[in-house]
Amino acid sequence: MPVVRNLGRAASQLLQSSGCGCGVSLVPVRAIGVSPRQVASDASFHSVTFSESDHPRVLITGGLGQLGVGLAKLLRKRFGKNNVILSDIRKPADNVFYSGPFIFADILDYKNLREIVVNNRITWLFHYSALLSAVGEANVPLARAVNITGLHNVLDIAAEHNLRLFVPSTIGAFGPTSPRDPTPDLCIQRPRTIYGVSKVHAELMGEYYHYRYGLDFRCLRYPGVISADSQPGGGTTDYAVKIFHDAIKTGKFKCYLRPDTRLPMMYIDDCLKATLEVMEAPAESLTMRTYNISAMSFTPEELAQEVQKYVPELQMTYNVDQVRQAIADSWPMNFDDSNARRDWGWKHDYDLPELVTTMFSYLGSDSRIAQAN
């Protein structure tokens, strides 16, 4: 099959050019979209269960992306350094490698992933390996392999070993026929990117495994996530990260979205807090398997106005990327996350002014402003 034969070469080219931090596998020559396993309805479970007073044993896949390192830090503080294993297929930086357990894990290698779960007595699994929206559109076969086949591996292993499984979803799981302002938890979902399609697939498969096999599947639809300690990774909302870096380095920023493009956003600390809270929530409090979460919603123009309070000389220009603009125009403008706030007490801490202040405090804008003056 031509797709399979070319997948290894495509993966290598993509990783050399995209800078995506999403944990893409370089061993994709297994049959795409076909899982060799079936989870029996009477499957025997081998994992060590834990009481409320015990700490879970955690594995994070795709851990060198935007969220994995921060999540590992949060969970290690909560559960102990050695109870949280970070994994990816790339070599970690020294500070990440020496901060706690790290292991090579290819989500397309079912046998290896299963051995990791068994040998380390994993009880919680956070599955972050994925290709993001713009990168996925540039290489659909690879995105299909990583985002869908990798998910199937994780679902089968989680069901077999009775894991509590978290898989993030996204605003990209909605499409142009979904209500956009606000977008509720349950509505029409017809995304037009492979990233969005794969996330709808993950939501539905996780819910199916929950009802069919009793899998403790939990999922949050993240808005655009903004953080100071990671580089943009190929997502449509990454302009909201890049503007801070460019404002500090050059005082100029060219945005690939229209100035009036409104999208829901969230600072990374809120995102990680929500992830831990939904994983710790009592099962009886959850009325659904997938929840919207949100904190704020803004346009590039509104963000630039806040940034200019710190870098007044910032020159903002627009060179619209039609592919990313079409993606953004199909996504929600505001999330309705009332179910998350009601069921498990979700509450965000960062609005736009706090977000901008925090970003500049981390990125050290004072030095550049002093130099400019």
Side-chain angles (χ1 to χ4, degrees), residues 118-164:
V118 171
N119 291 341
N120 294 281
R121 299 181 297 112
I122 299 300
T123 53
W124 284 15
L125 197 158
F126 293 82
H127 179 55
Y128 278 108
S129 296
L131 262 66
L132 303 183
S133 56
V135 175
E137 290 306 289
N139 194 324
V140 172
L142 182 61
R144 188 172 68 232
V146 174
N147 295 11
I148 296 179
T149 303
L151 170 77
H152 292 175
N153 289 343
V154 168
L155 283 170
D156 287 349
I157 291 168
E160 180 183 3
H161 297 286
N162 199 24
L163 309 185
R164 181 171 296 182

mmCIF file of all heavy atoms in Angstrom, residues 118-164:
data_model
loop_
_atom_site.group_PDB
_atom_site.id
_atom_site.type_symbol
_atom_site.label_atom_id
_atom_site.label_comp_id
_atom_site.label_asym_id
_atom_site.label_seq_id
_atom_site.Cartn_x
_atom_site.Cartn_y
_atom_site.Cartn_z
ATOM 1 N N VAL A 118 2.630 -2.890 32.216
ATOM 2 C CA VAL A 118 2.698 -4.036 33.126
ATOM 3 C C VAL A 118 3.901 -3.923 34.062
ATOM 4 O O VAL A 118 3.778 -4.078 35.292
ATOM 5 C CB VAL A 118 2.766 -5.349 32.317
ATOM 6 C CG1 VAL A 118 3.066 -6.537 33.239
ATOM 7 C CG2 VAL A 118 1.466 -5.581 31.567
ATOM 8 N N ASN A 119 5.077 -3.659 33.510
ATOM 9 C CA ASN A 119 6.300 -3.654 34.309
ATOM 10 C C ASN A 119 6.322 -2.529 35.340
ATOM 11 O O ASN A 119 6.965 -2.652 36.391
ATOM 12 C CB ASN A 119 7.529 -3.543 33.407
ATOM 13 C CG ASN A 119 7.754 -4.790 32.579
ATOM 14 O OD1 ASN A 119 7.236 -5.864 32.907
ATOM 15 N ND2 ASN A 119 8.514 -4.664 31.496
ATOM 16 N N ASN A 120 5.664 -1.419 35.035
ATOM 17 C CA ASN A 120 5.665 -0.279 35.955
ATOM 18 C C ASN A 120 4.372 -0.152 36.752
ATOM 19 O O ASN A 120 4.180 0.839 37.450
ATOM 20 C CB ASN A 120 5.925 1.015 35.166
ATOM 21 C CG ASN A 120 7.306 1.063 34.566
ATOM 22 O OD1 ASN A 120 8.288 1.351 35.254
ATOM 23 N ND2 ASN A 120 7.399 0.774 33.268
ATOM 24 N N ARG A 121 3.516 -1.159 36.637
ATOM 25 C CA ARG A 121 2.258 -1.203 37.409
ATOM 26 C C ARG A 121 1.464 0.099 37.256
ATOM 27 O O ARG A 121 0.981 0.673 38.218
ATOM 28 C CB ARG A 121 2.543 -1.495 38.883
ATOM 29 C CG ARG A 121 3.215 -2.843 39.109
ATOM 30 C CD ARG A 121 3.480 -3.156 40.568
ATOM 31 N NE ARG A 121 4.427 -2.192 41.157
ATOM 32 C CZ ARG A 121 4.105 -1.312 42.074
ATOM 33 N NH1 ARG A 121 2.876 -1.231 42.520
ATOM 34 N NH2 ARG A 121 5.024 -0.496 42.563
ATOM 35 N N ILE A 122 1.315 0.556 36.020
ATOM 36 C CA ILE A 122 0.627 1.813 35.734
ATOM 37 C C ILE A 122 -0.849 1.688 36.075
ATOM 38 O O ILE A 122 -1.487 0.669 35.775
ATOM 39 C CB ILE A 122 0.809 2.200 34.250
ATOM 40 C CG1 ILE A 122 2.301 2.390 33.925
ATOM 41 C CG2 ILE A 122 -0.003 3.442 33.902
ATOM 42 C CD1 ILE A 122 2.971 3.482 34.741
ATOM 43 N N THR A 123 -1.403 2.727 36.680
ATOM 44 C CA THR A 123 -2.837 2.759 36.986
ATOM 45 C C THR A 123 -3.554 3.946 36.340
ATOM 46 O O THR A 123 -4.759 3.890 36.116
ATOM 47 C CB THR A 123 -3.069 2.817 38.511
ATOM 48 O OG1 THR A 123 -2.318 3.904 39.073
ATOM 49 C CG2 THR A 123 -2.620 1.522 39.171
ATOM 50 N N TRP A 124 -2.808 5.041 36.077
ATOM 51 C CA TRP A 124 -3.356 6.187 35.341
ATOM 52 C C TRP A 124 -2.521 6.400 34.081
ATOM 53 O O TRP A 124 -1.283 6.360 34.133
ATOM 54 C CB TRP A 124 -3.278 7.479 36.163
ATOM 55 C CG TRP A 124 -4.290 7.616 37.260
ATOM 56 C CD1 TRP A 124 -5.085 6.651 37.805
ATOM 57 C CD2 TRP A 124 -4.589 8.825 37.970
ATOM 58 N NE1 TRP A 124 -5.852 7.172 38.810
ATOM 59 C CE2 TRP A 124 -5.575 8.508 38.937
ATOM 60 C CE3 TRP A 124 -4.106 10.131 37.891
ATOM 61 C CZ2 TRP A 124 -6.093 9.463 39.804
ATOM 62 C CZ3 TRP A 124 -4.625 11.087 38.757
ATOM 63 C CH2 TRP A 124 -5.614 10.756 39.702
ATOM 64 N N LEU A 125 -3.203 6.663 32.961
ATOM 65 C CA LEU A 125 -2.487 6.932 31.718
ATOM 66 C C LEU A 125 -3.034 8.223 31.093
ATOM 67 O O LEU A 125 -4.241 8.358 30.891
ATOM 68 C CB LEU A 125 -2.650 5.756 30.739
ATOM 69 C CG LEU A 125 -1.662 5.684 29.570
ATOM 70 C CD1 LEU A 125 -1.589 4.255 29.025
ATOM 71 C CD2 LEU A 125 -2.007 6.636 28.432
ATOM 72 N N PHE A 126 -2.130 9.159 30.830
ATOM 73 C CA PHE A 126 -2.471 10.399 30.140
ATOM 74 C C PHE A 126 -1.907 10.301 28.724
ATOM 75 O O PHE A 126 -0.688 10.239 28.537
ATOM 76 C CB PHE A 126 -1.855 11.616 30.846
ATOM 77 C CG PHE A 126 -2.425 11.889 32.208
ATOM 78 C CD1 PHE A 126 -1.979 11.188 33.326
ATOM 79 C CD2 PHE A 126 -3.406 12.862 32.386
ATOM 80 C CE1 PHE A 126 -2.490 11.445 34.582
ATOM 81 C CE2 PHE A 126 -3.926 13.123 33.639
ATOM 82 C CZ PHE A 126 -3.471 12.421 34.746
ATOM 83 N N HIS A 127 -2.793 10.308 27.738
ATOM 84 C CA HIS A 127 -2.381 10.057 26.358
ATOM 85 C C HIS A 127 -2.339 11.365 25.574
ATOM 86 O O HIS A 127 -3.348 11.838 25.056
ATOM 87 C CB HIS A 127 -3.361 9.085 25.710
ATOM 88 C CG HIS A 127 -3.044 8.779 24.273
ATOM 89 N ND1 HIS A 127 -1.807 8.303 23.881
ATOM 90 C CD2 HIS A 127 -3.777 8.897 23.143
ATOM 91 C CE1 HIS A 127 -1.815 8.129 22.564
ATOM 92 N NE2 HIS A 127 -2.988 8.496 22.091
ATOM 93 N N TYR A 128 -1.127 11.958 25.469
ATOM 94 C CA TYR A 128 -0.960 13.251 24.810
ATOM 95 C C TYR A 128 -0.348 13.152 23.419
ATOM 96 O O TYR A 128 -0.190 14.178 22.754
ATOM 97 C CB TYR A 128 -0.094 14.168 25.684
ATOM 98 C CG TYR A 128 -0.877 14.855 26.780
ATOM 99 C CD1 TYR A 128 -0.721 14.479 28.107
ATOM 100 C CD2 TYR A 128 -1.766 15.866 26.482
ATOM 101 C CE1 TYR A 128 -1.440 15.102 29.119
ATOM 102 C CE2 TYR A 128 -2.494 16.502 27.477
ATOM 103 C CZ TYR A 128 -2.322 16.113 28.798
ATOM 104 O OH TYR A 128 -3.047 16.725 29.773
ATOM 105 N N SER A 129 0.010 11.975 22.963
ATOM 106 C CA SER A 129 0.624 11.854 21.647
ATOM 107 C C SER A 129 -0.386 12.169 20.550
ATOM 108 O O SER A 129 -1.429 11.520 20.460
ATOM 109 C CB SER A 129 1.150 10.430 21.440
ATOM 110 O OG SER A 129 2.167 10.133 22.349
ATOM 111 N N ALA A 130 -0.085 13.167 19.720
ATOM 112 C CA ALA A 130 -0.977 13.545 18.622
ATOM 113 C C ALA A 130 -0.275 14.547 17.720
ATOM 114 O O ALA A 130 0.615 15.274 18.160
ATOM 115 C CB ALA A 130 -2.279 14.140 19.157
ATOM 116 N N LEU A 131 -0.706 14.589 16.460
ATOM 117 C CA LEU A 131 -0.316 15.668 15.561
ATOM 118 C C LEU A 131 -1.390 16.738 15.612
ATOM 119 O O LEU A 131 -2.584 16.422 15.526
ATOM 120 C CB LEU A 131 -0.159 15.163 14.121
ATOM 121 C CG LEU A 131 1.272 14.852 13.664
ATOM 122 C CD1 LEU A 131 1.819 13.672 14.441
ATOM 123 C CD2 LEU A 131 1.296 14.574 12.176
ATOM 124 N N LEU A 132 -0.986 18.003 15.725
ATOM 125 C CA LEU A 132 -1.940 19.094 15.859
ATOM 126 C C LEU A 132 -2.532 19.478 14.503
ATOM 127 O O LEU A 132 -2.227 18.879 13.478
ATOM 128 C CB LEU A 132 -1.268 20.280 16.538
ATOM 129 C CG LEU A 132 -0.667 19.993 17.923
ATOM 130 C CD1 LEU A 132 -0.085 21.266 18.535
ATOM 131 C CD2 LEU A 132 -1.702 19.385 18.858
ATOM 132 N N SER A 133 -3.387 20.520 14.520
ATOM 133 C CA SER A 133 -4.252 20.794 13.379
ATOM 134 C C SER A 133 -3.500 21.098 12.094
ATOM 135 O O SER A 133 -3.668 20.408 11.073
ATOM 136 C CB SER A 133 -5.198 21.947 13.724
ATOM 137 O OG SER A 133 -4.468 23.096 14.140
ATOM 138 N N ALA A 134 -2.674 22.144 12.089
ATOM 139 C CA ALA A 134 -2.009 22.543 10.856
ATOM 140 C C ALA A 134 -0.997 21.493 10.402
ATOM 141 O O ALA A 134 -0.874 21.205 9.201
ATOM 142 C CB ALA A 134 -1.324 23.900 11.038
ATOM 143 N N VAL A 135 -0.256 20.893 11.326
ATOM 144 C CA VAL A 135 0.712 19.854 10.986
ATOM 145 C C VAL A 135 -0.003 18.623 10.454
ATOM 146 O O VAL A 135 0.453 17.982 9.489
ATOM 147 C CB VAL A 135 1.571 19.499 12.217
ATOM 148 C CG1 VAL A 135 2.498 18.326 11.904
ATOM 149 C CG2 VAL A 135 2.385 20.702 12.661
ATOM 150 N N GLY A 136 -1.138 18.278 11.047
ATOM 151 C CA GLY A 136 -1.895 17.128 10.585
ATOM 152 C C GLY A 136 -2.392 17.291 9.162
ATOM 153 O O GLY A 136 -2.391 16.335 8.374
ATOM 154 N N GLU A 137 -2.806 18.507 8.805
ATOM 155 C CA GLU A 137 -3.266 18.740 7.445
ATOM 156 C C GLU A 137 -2.127 18.619 6.438
ATOM 157 O O GLU A 137 -2.347 18.294 5.277
ATOM 158 C CB GLU A 137 -3.909 20.125 7.340
ATOM 159 C CG GLU A 137 -5.238 20.251 8.070
ATOM 160 C CD GLU A 137 -6.235 19.183 7.652
ATOM 161 O OE1 GLU A 137 -6.734 19.246 6.516
ATOM 162 O OE2 GLU A 137 -6.480 18.260 8.450
ATOM 163 N N ALA A 138 -0.911 18.873 6.889
ATOM 164 C CA ALA A 138 0.244 18.756 5.994
ATOM 165 C C ALA A 138 0.640 17.305 5.754
ATOM 166 O O ALA A 138 1.328 17.001 4.785
ATOM 167 C CB ALA A 138 1.435 19.525 6.574
ATOM 168 N N ASN A 139 0.206 16.393 6.619
ATOM 169 C CA ASN A 139 0.541 14.981 6.454
ATOM 170 C C ASN A 139 -0.578 14.130 7.053
ATOM 171 O O ASN A 139 -0.480 13.653 8.180
ATOM 172 C CB ASN A 139 1.879 14.662 7.118
ATOM 173 C CG ASN A 139 2.425 13.307 6.688
ATOM 174 O OD1 ASN A 139 1.680 12.364 6.479
ATOM 175 N ND2 ASN A 139 3.740 13.228 6.552
ATOM 176 N N VAL A 140 -1.640 13.962 6.290
ATOM 177 C CA VAL A 140 -2.827 13.253 6.778
ATOM 178 C C VAL A 140 -2.534 11.788 7.099
ATOM 179 O O VAL A 140 -2.982 11.287 8.142
ATOM 180 C CB VAL A 140 -3.988 13.393 5.772
ATOM 181 C CG1 VAL A 140 -5.163 12.494 6.168
ATOM 182 C CG2 VAL A 140 -4.441 14.851 5.692
ATOM 183 N N PRO A 141 -1.789 11.038 6.268
ATOM 184 C CA PRO A 141 -1.522 9.641 6.626
ATOM 185 C C PRO A 141 -0.803 9.481 7.960
ATOM 186 O O PRO A 141 -1.131 8.599 8.750
ATOM 187 C CB PRO A 141 -0.657 9.136 5.463
ATOM 188 C CG PRO A 141 -1.026 10.007 4.308
ATOM 189 C CD PRO A 141 -1.274 11.357 4.911
ATOM 190 N N LEU A 142 0.168 10.337 8.227
ATOM 191 C CA LEU A 142 0.872 10.251 9.501
ATOM 192 C C LEU A 142 -0.044 10.631 10.650
ATOM 193 O O LEU A 142 -0.033 9.987 11.710
ATOM 194 C CB LEU A 142 2.102 11.152 9.480
ATOM 195 C CG LEU A 142 2.967 11.121 10.739
ATOM 196 C CD1 LEU A 142 3.508 9.716 10.986
ATOM 197 C CD2 LEU A 142 4.111 12.113 10.642
ATOM 198 N N ALA A 143 -0.867 11.669 10.466
ATOM 199 C CA ALA A 143 -1.811 12.060 11.512
ATOM 200 C C ALA A 143 -2.810 10.939 11.794
ATOM 201 O O ALA A 143 -3.172 10.689 12.952
ATOM 202 C CB ALA A 143 -2.547 13.336 11.104
ATOM 203 N N ARG A 144 -3.244 10.255 10.748
ATOM 204 C CA ARG A 144 -4.177 9.148 10.940
ATOM 205 C C ARG A 144 -3.525 8.025 11.738
ATOM 206 O O ARG A 144 -4.143 7.417 12.622
ATOM 207 C CB ARG A 144 -4.644 8.637 9.575
ATOM 208 C CG ARG A 144 -5.771 7.611 9.655
ATOM 209 C CD ARG A 144 -6.316 7.284 8.280
ATOM 210 N NE ARG A 144 -5.327 6.561 7.483
ATOM 211 C CZ ARG A 144 -4.959 6.921 6.263
ATOM 212 N NH1 ARG A 144 -5.459 8.001 5.700
ATOM 213 N NH2 ARG A 144 -4.076 6.191 5.592
ATOM 214 N N ALA A 145 -2.262 7.749 11.446
ATOM 215 C CA ALA A 145 -1.561 6.687 12.165
ATOM 216 C C ALA A 145 -1.377 7.047 13.635
ATOM 217 O O ALA A 145 -1.709 6.270 14.533
ATOM 218 C CB ALA A 145 -0.211 6.420 11.508
ATOM 219 N N VAL A 146 -0.841 8.233 13.882
ATOM 220 C CA VAL A 146 -0.533 8.626 15.261
ATOM 221 C C VAL A 146 -1.809 8.869 16.061
ATOM 222 O O VAL A 146 -1.970 8.361 17.178
ATOM 223 C CB VAL A 146 0.359 9.887 15.272
ATOM 224 C CG1 VAL A 146 0.556 10.394 16.700
ATOM 225 C CG2 VAL A 146 1.708 9.575 14.636
ATOM 226 N N ASN A 147 -2.742 9.643 15.503
ATOM 227 C CA ASN A 147 -3.905 10.089 16.266
ATOM 228 C C ASN A 147 -4.979 9.022 16.406
ATOM 229 O O ASN A 147 -5.750 9.060 17.373
ATOM 230 C CB ASN A 147 -4.528 11.325 15.612
ATOM 231 C CG ASN A 147 -3.617 12.535 15.645
ATOM 232 O OD1 ASN A 147 -2.437 12.427 15.977
ATOM 233 N ND2 ASN A 147 -4.142 13.686 15.296
ATOM 234 N N ILE A 148 -5.055 8.090 15.464
ATOM 235 C CA ILE A 148 -6.128 7.093 15.510
ATOM 236 C C ILE A 148 -5.593 5.707 15.859
ATOM 237 O O ILE A 148 -6.046 5.091 16.827
ATOM 238 C CB ILE A 148 -6.900 7.075 14.180
ATOM 239 C CG1 ILE A 148 -7.606 8.429 13.983
ATOM 240 C CG2 ILE A 148 -7.928 5.931 14.171
ATOM 241 C CD1 ILE A 148 -8.390 8.553 12.697
ATOM 242 N N THR A 149 -4.602 5.212 15.118
ATOM 243 C CA THR A 149 -4.056 3.899 15.448
ATOM 244 C C THR A 149 -3.412 3.909 16.833
ATOM 245 O O THR A 149 -3.575 2.962 17.610
ATOM 246 C CB THR A 149 -3.027 3.466 14.393
ATOM 247 O OG1 THR A 149 -3.643 3.472 13.104
ATOM 248 C CG2 THR A 149 -2.494 2.075 14.685
ATOM 249 N N GLY A 150 -2.686 4.976 17.153
ATOM 250 C CA GLY A 150 -2.102 5.085 18.486
ATOM 251 C C GLY A 150 -3.159 5.081 19.574
ATOM 252 O O GLY A 150 -2.988 4.467 20.632
ATOM 253 N N LEU A 151 -4.266 5.772 19.330
ATOM 254 C CA LEU A 151 -5.373 5.772 20.288
ATOM 255 C C LEU A 151 -5.918 4.366 20.499
ATOM 256 O O LEU A 151 -6.196 3.964 21.643
ATOM 257 C CB LEU A 151 -6.480 6.696 19.795
ATOM 258 C CG LEU A 151 -7.793 6.591 20.585
ATOM 259 C CD1 LEU A 151 -7.679 7.334 21.912
ATOM 260 C CD2 LEU A 151 -8.971 7.098 19.774
ATOM 261 N N HIS A 152 -6.085 3.602 19.420
ATOM 262 C CA HIS A 152 -6.603 2.238 19.551
ATOM 263 C C HIS A 152 -5.699 1.396 20.444
ATOM 264 O O HIS A 152 -6.184 0.617 21.280
ATOM 265 C CB HIS A 152 -6.724 1.593 18.179
ATOM 266 C CG HIS A 152 -7.781 2.205 17.310
ATOM 267 N ND1 HIS A 152 -7.981 1.827 16.009
ATOM 268 C CD2 HIS A 152 -8.701 3.179 17.560
ATOM 269 C CE1 HIS A 152 -8.980 2.530 15.491
ATOM 270 N NE2 HIS A 152 -9.419 3.366 16.411
ATOM 271 N N ASN A 153 -4.404 1.532 20.276
ATOM 272 C CA ASN A 153 -3.471 0.805 21.141
ATOM 273 C C ASN A 153 -3.676 1.163 22.604
ATOM 274 O O ASN A 153 -3.731 0.298 23.479
ATOM 275 C CB ASN A 153 -2.032 1.117 20.732
ATOM 276 C CG ASN A 153 -1.644 0.501 19.402
ATOM 277 O OD1 ASN A 153 -2.304 -0.404 18.909
ATOM 278 N ND2 ASN A 153 -0.559 0.990 18.814
ATOM 279 N N VAL A 154 -3.785 2.447 22.865
ATOM 280 C CA VAL A 154 -3.939 2.930 24.240
ATOM 281 C C VAL A 154 -5.272 2.458 24.833
ATOM 282 O O VAL A 154 -5.332 2.027 25.993
ATOM 283 C CB VAL A 154 -3.823 4.461 24.277
ATOM 284 C CG1 VAL A 154 -4.272 5.009 25.620
ATOM 285 C CG2 VAL A 154 -2.389 4.891 23.996
ATOM 286 N N LEU A 155 -6.348 2.526 24.068
ATOM 287 C CA LEU A 155 -7.656 2.085 24.562
ATOM 288 C C LEU A 155 -7.639 0.602 24.923
ATOM 289 O O LEU A 155 -8.151 0.207 25.993
ATOM 290 C CB LEU A 155 -8.731 2.345 23.507
ATOM 291 C CG LEU A 155 -9.219 3.779 23.345
ATOM 292 C CD1 LEU A 155 -10.087 3.899 22.093
ATOM 293 C CD2 LEU A 155 -10.000 4.252 24.575
ATOM 294 N N ASP A 156 -7.059 -0.230 24.055
ATOM 295 C CA ASP A 156 -7.027 -1.660 24.329
ATOM 296 C C ASP A 156 -6.217 -1.975 25.575
ATOM 297 O O ASP A 156 -6.619 -2.793 26.417
ATOM 298 C CB ASP A 156 -6.442 -2.411 23.127
ATOM 299 C CG ASP A 156 -7.408 -2.478 21.955
ATOM 300 O OD1 ASP A 156 -8.588 -2.126 22.138
ATOM 301 O OD2 ASP A 156 -6.982 -2.868 20.854
ATOM 302 N N ILE A 157 -5.076 -1.329 25.718
ATOM 303 C CA ILE A 157 -4.228 -1.568 26.884
ATOM 304 C C ILE A 157 -4.906 -1.064 28.156
ATOM 305 O O ILE A 157 -4.884 -1.730 29.199
ATOM 306 C CB ILE A 157 -2.847 -0.904 26.682
ATOM 307 C CG1 ILE A 157 -2.067 -1.645 25.593
ATOM 308 C CG2 ILE A 157 -2.049 -0.879 27.983
ATOM 309 C CD1 ILE A 157 -0.827 -0.919 25.120
ATOM 310 N N ALA A 158 -5.524 0.101 28.084
ATOM 311 C CA ALA A 158 -6.206 0.661 29.259
ATOM 312 C C ALA A 158 -7.369 -0.224 29.694
ATOM 313 O O ALA A 158 -7.585 -0.445 30.889
ATOM 314 C CB ALA A 158 -6.692 2.075 28.953
ATOM 315 N N ALA A 159 -8.120 -0.744 28.726
ATOM 316 C CA ALA A 159 -9.242 -1.618 29.076
ATOM 317 C C ALA A 159 -8.754 -2.935 29.656
ATOM 318 O O ALA A 159 -9.290 -3.445 30.643
ATOM 319 C CB ALA A 159 -10.105 -1.869 27.841
ATOM 320 N N GLU A 160 -7.715 -3.504 29.060
ATOM 321 C CA GLU A 160 -7.198 -4.791 29.527
ATOM 322 C C GLU A 160 -6.651 -4.701 30.939
ATOM 323 O O GLU A 160 -6.824 -5.628 31.744
ATOM 324 C CB GLU A 160 -6.099 -5.280 28.590
ATOM 325 C CG GLU A 160 -5.504 -6.630 28.999
ATOM 326 C CD GLU A 160 -4.359 -7.057 28.098
ATOM 327 O OE1 GLU A 160 -3.983 -6.286 27.191
ATOM 328 O OE2 GLU A 160 -3.837 -8.166 28.321
ATOM 329 N N HIS A 161 -6.016 -3.568 31.272
ATOM 330 C CA HIS A 161 -5.337 -3.452 32.560
ATOM 331 C C HIS A 161 -6.046 -2.515 33.533
ATOM 332 O O HIS A 161 -5.465 -2.087 34.531
ATOM 333 C CB HIS A 161 -3.886 -3.028 32.338
ATOM 334 C CG HIS A 161 -3.096 -4.038 31.575
ATOM 335 N ND1 HIS A 161 -2.666 -5.224 32.118
ATOM 336 C CD2 HIS A 161 -2.697 -4.064 30.275
ATOM 337 C CE1 HIS A 161 -2.029 -5.930 31.208
ATOM 338 N NE2 HIS A 161 -2.031 -5.250 30.080
ATOM 339 N N ASN A 162 -7.309 -2.203 33.225
ATOM 340 C CA ASN A 162 -8.158 -1.482 34.172
ATOM 341 C C ASN A 162 -7.558 -0.134 34.573
ATOM 342 O O ASN A 162 -7.559 0.242 35.744
ATOM 343 C CB ASN A 162 -8.409 -2.340 35.418
ATOM 344 C CG ASN A 162 -9.615 -1.870 36.200
ATOM 345 O OD1 ASN A 162 -10.526 -1.230 35.644
ATOM 346 N ND2 ASN A 162 -9.632 -2.171 37.488
ATOM 347 N N LEU A 163 -7.052 0.617 33.592
ATOM 348 C CA LEU A 163 -6.450 1.915 33.864
ATOM 349 C C LEU A 163 -7.512 3.002 33.891
ATOM 350 O O LEU A 163 -8.571 2.878 33.275
ATOM 351 C CB LEU A 163 -5.411 2.260 32.783
ATOM 352 C CG LEU A 163 -4.347 1.227 32.454
ATOM 353 C CD1 LEU A 163 -3.352 1.815 31.452
ATOM 354 C CD2 LEU A 163 -3.634 0.754 33.703
ATOM 355 N N ARG A 164 -7.204 4.074 34.578
ATOM 356 C CA ARG A 164 -7.964 5.321 34.425
ATOM 357 C C ARG A 164 -7.276 6.098 33.307
ATOM 358 O O ARG A 164 -6.100 6.447 33.417
ATOM 359 C CB ARG A 164 -7.977 6.127 35.715
ATOM 360 C CG ARG A 164 -8.790 7.423 35.610
ATOM 361 C CD ARG A 164 -8.974 8.083 36.975
ATOM 362 N NE ARG A 164 -9.758 7.241 37.861
ATOM 363 C CZ ARG A 164 -10.122 7.568 39.108
ATOM 364 N NH1 ARG A 164 -9.733 8.733 39.614
ATOM 365 N NH2 ARG A 164 -10.827 6.740 39.839
#
